[in-house]
Amino acid sequence: MIFRIGGDDMRKLKKIINILPLFLSFVGCLSVTYFDFALVQIPNDSSFHFNLITVNALFGGFLYTNYSLLIGVLDNKIIEKISCTSIIPKRNEHILNGIVNASRSVLASLYIILVPEYDFFLFKMFRSFMSNVEIICMAFLIIYFLLSFYEMNHLFKAVYKPKNKLSEKEIDNIRAAIMNPPKTDSDE
């Protein structure tokens, strides 16, 4: 029997995947709060959190760039052929999920940096939750970034196949022309 997911099941699965980082953060928070067990030890130094903001911003920026690259190839004839498939929406969904996780991680980092620590149980628990959100959402951001990069690579391979392959001699002639341009009167 082949297991297939379709329609409503797929939407439910996507919702679960979207809340998975927050659920894992909550589990991590409970683990630290009640069992004093942390998978990752996070320093309290604010420079660490600023560095995480920078890393998240870089990955988020790369995702936006990846999205703009897609816009540049949308008028291609091959894109028109695959527009009725799930290839482009799936890729865009990975980009959006990556950006959402980058935003979550940045907001958690800002909370940790800007809100002082209080010696109340709920504040400690929420701070632990935000620390987990910061790291887990960054991990999901990187996963979505890699998925989006992988899919974009496949899309570019499909779009930019050479129609008339050049011979080795033609390639060598073009390379020589680029490396040794003819001299002009202004060069002398």
Side-chain angles (χ1 to χ4, degrees):
M1 183 172 127
I2 297 175
F3 179 69
R4 293 186 184 193
I5 298 176
D8 290 336
D9 292 334
M10 189 57 132
R11 276 187 228 102
K12 288 176 186 175
L13 181 63
K14 287 178 184 179
K15 285 180 183 179
I16 290 170
I17 290 172
N18 286 333
I19 63 168
L20 185 61
L22 298 177
F23 176 75
L24 292 175
S25 299
F26 183 70
V27 169
C29 169
L30 293 177
S31 168
V32 169
T33 304
Y34 291 109
F35 303 109
D36 200 28
F37 174 74
L39 223 51
V40 178
Q41 192 64 32
I42 300 173
N44 278 335
D45 183 19
S46 64
S47 66
F48 172 78
H49 302 288
F50 278 115
N51 291 338
L52 287 182
I53 290 172
T54 302
V55 170
N56 282 303
L58 284 169
F59 276 108
F62 286 138
L63 285 171
Y64 276 118
T65 301
N66 195 345
Y67 186 70
S68 68
L69 287 173
L70 176 66
I71 292 171
V73 297
L74 281 179
D75 61 346
N76 192 296
K77 290 178 184 176
I78 293 175
I79 297 295
E80 291 173 13
K81 290 178 185 175
I82 64 171
S83 64
C84 59
T85 68
S86 65
I87 295 171
I88 293 175
K90 183 178 171 187
R91 200 185 136 285
N92 288 343
E93 187 175 311
H94 288 159
I95 289 173
L96 178 63
N97 286 338
I99 291 169
V100 165
N101 280 299
S103 301
R104 287 174 179 167
S105 184
V106 166
L107 289 173
S109 295
L110 288 173
Y111 174 84
I112 292 168
I113 293 168
L114 298 175
V115 176
E117 290 187 52
Y118 295 105
D119 202 20
F120 299 115
F121 176 74
L122 287 178
F123 280 110
K124 285 183 176 182
M125 193 169 177
F126 189 70
R127 190 171 183 88
S128 172
F129 173 74
M130 294 304 265
S131 293
N132 282 290
V133 167
E134 179 182 42
I135 298 300
I136 291 172
C137 284
M138 188 172 88
F140 273 80
L141 160 66
I142 293 169
I143 290 168
Y144 282 121
F145 172 78
L146 293 173
L147 284 172
S148 137
F149 182 75
Y150 176 78
E151 290 170 359
M152 189 63 166
N153 187 34
H154 283 287
L155 188 61
F156 276 140
K157 283 181 181 178
V159 171
Y160 292 115
K161 285 185 180 176
K163 292 179 177 93
N164 299 324
K165 191 171 180 179
L166 298 176
S167 69
E168 289 296 321
K169 185 176 180 180
E170 290 171 316
I171 293 172
D172 289 338
N173 289 341
I174 293 171
R175 187 176 294 132
I178 292 171
M179 298 303 218
N180 303 317
K183 292 190 176 191
T184 61
D185 292 336
S186 63
D187 290 341
E188 294 175 6

